[in-house]
Amino acid sequence: MKNKFIIGGVIVLFLVVAGIYFANNAQSPPQDTEEIKSEFTSITSDELEGMLSNKDFVLIDVHTPEQRHVPGTDFMAPYNEVEKIEPVLGNKDIKVVLYCRSGSMSKIAAQELADRGYTNVYELTGGLHDWTSRGRDTTAKGTVDKL
């Protein structure tokens, strides 16, 4: 009787160890629901300054509430109302640069535009803080059209 318990215990132990081994080494099936993030490009204030010398893009301040602006800003629109930006862009291949005060709102708006199919989206890393910390000028509130 004692031998039956020992054999039964060894079998149970073997099954548990085998189950753990196979569970840890099993490959997960491919996930069809895996989210694919659309892409945008982050740029520095130095890069933006260079781009402004030969401006071929729409520059939008997405910070709320309104702040001072990078010279050459075309429009301002709330970062969480990207649908207001789309009508002025039209073509989904148009180059657009977004910025805010610190970079967090512009990242959100840039991701939203990219998710909506815009393929040439840039956002200013560090936002207006980085722009001004390097001694660059700004324009006053109320000097940029709201969307």
Side-chain angles (χ1 to χ4, degrees), residues 4-19:
K4 287 183 182 181
F5 285 117
I6 293 173
I7 293 172
V10 169
I11 291 172
V12 168
L13 181 61
F14 173 78
L15 292 174
V16 168
V17 170

Side-chain angles (χ1 to χ4, degrees), residues 30-130:
Q31 299 290 325
D32 291 336
T33 59
E34 195 172 305
E35 184 177 334
I36 298 172
K37 285 280 188 184
S38 303
E39 293 186 17
F40 60 88
T41 303
S42 295
I43 59 171
T44 66
S45 57
D46 291 339
E47 291 171 311
L48 178 57
E49 183 177 50
M51 291 167 68
L52 284 166
S53 66
N54 188 21
K55 190 170 181 245
D56 63 347
F57 56 92
V58 178
L59 182 59
I60 303 175
D61 184 347
V62 295
H63 185 72
T64 57
E66 184 180 5
Q67 62 181 351
R68 294 185 63 84
H69 307 283
V70 170
T73 299
D74 298 299
F75 304 103
M76 57 177 292
Y79 76 99
N80 57 347
E81 296 179 16
V82 170
E83 66 277 1
K84 290 183 176 182
I85 297 172
E86 288 186 285
V88 299
L89 298 180
N91 180 349
K92 292 203 177 199
D93 294 326
I94 193 167
K95 188 182 218 180
V96 59
V97 177
L98 308 174
Y99 71 93
C100 63
R101 184 183 67 209
S102 65
S104 59
M105 291 178 183
S106 60
K107 279 185 181 20
I108 293 169
Q111 185 63 61
E112 182 64 26
L113 278 177
D115 288 347
R116 290 174 181 235
Y118 288 85
T119 60
N120 211 358
V121 180
Y122 296 79
E123 69 84 25
L124 177 61
T125 300
L128 197 64
H129 281 317
D130 187 63

